[in-house]
Amino acid sequence: MAITPPQQRIWWNEPIERVELIWIGVAFLWGLFMFFFMIAWHFIGQQNLSNETYRIAPTAYGEKVDAFAAKYQVREEEGVPVVRPPAGADVYLLGRLWQWWPILELEKGQSYRVHLSSVDWQHGFSLQPTNINIQVHPGFEHVLTLTPTEAGEFGIICNEFCGVGHHTMTGRIIVTAKRTAARMEAQ
Ligand SMILES: [Cu+2]
């Protein structure tokens, strides 16, 4: 027995108020609009990345990145290899406690297949100053097509707290201007 029993025992059987029904309808339609706009924004806003994701053992991914770096390394900066893959190549980048490795050197206007994963912990790939954010988990390999549209140096930071060295976890992507015919002849 309740202290204040409802006046009508079968309270849920009351007819719904017109205004309430209108609000439910409005909220439902707005929800649908927002849902489909997420998909639309992918095309008209060009913001959400079209990436593929595959399962991979973290050690196997580490080996792929090592092989990639060994193959295309052009120099070293502060102990980190700078890797310049040919245009259109598969490019590998890894996150680990606490660095993004290696430094990539790409050419403006060329497209690359960028592979991204972690070999130890969950990290967040955040490319500065663009608005590109990707969650990076060990065991999952992201693959996305990247076409740099601007030359310059881009920083990578980790935006997923990953321990005491988290704030030092940075990396770099260097984008060089397109080579001119004259410069190519000179080489
Ligand atoms: Cu991290």
Side-chain angles (χ1 to χ4, degrees), residues 103-124:
I103 298 169
L104 300 174
E105 195 174 272
L106 308 178
E107 196 175 316
K108 180 184 165 182
Q110 300 290 351
S111 292
Y112 300 86
R113 297 279 288 162
V114 176
H115 299 241
L116 183 61
S117 189
S118 163
V119 291
D120 47 29
W121 205 253
Q122 181 179 334
H123 300 289

Side-chain angles (χ1 to χ4, degrees), residues 49-64:
L49 299 165
S50 309
N51 64 331
E52 302 151 33
T53 313
Y54 303 94
R55 291 205 81 131
I56 187 164
T59 46
Y61 188 76
E63 283 162 18
K64 279 211 252 182

Side-chain angles (χ1 to χ4, degrees), residues 74-92:
V74 285
R75 59 180 187 280
E76 207 175 272
E77 284 183 20
E78 288 163 27
V80 182
V82 178
V83 183
R84 188 184 170 90
D90 281 278
V91 173
Y92 292 85

Side-chain angles (χ1 to χ4, degrees), residues 58 94-100 116-126 133-142 157-167 169:
L94 66 78
R96 66 176 162 219
L97 303 169
W98 286 280
Q99 66 178 169
W100 295 103
L116 183 61
S117 189
S118 163
V119 291
D120 47 29
W121 205 253
Q122 181 179 334
H123 300 289
F125 173 93
S126 177
N133 286 282
I134 303 163
Q135 287 244 320
V136 182
H137 297 265
F140 293 90
E141 179 178 358
H142 290 286
I157 58 164
C158 179
N159 61 8
E160 195 72 58
F161 183 71
C162 57
V164 293
H166 166 67
H167 62 289
M169 185 168 169

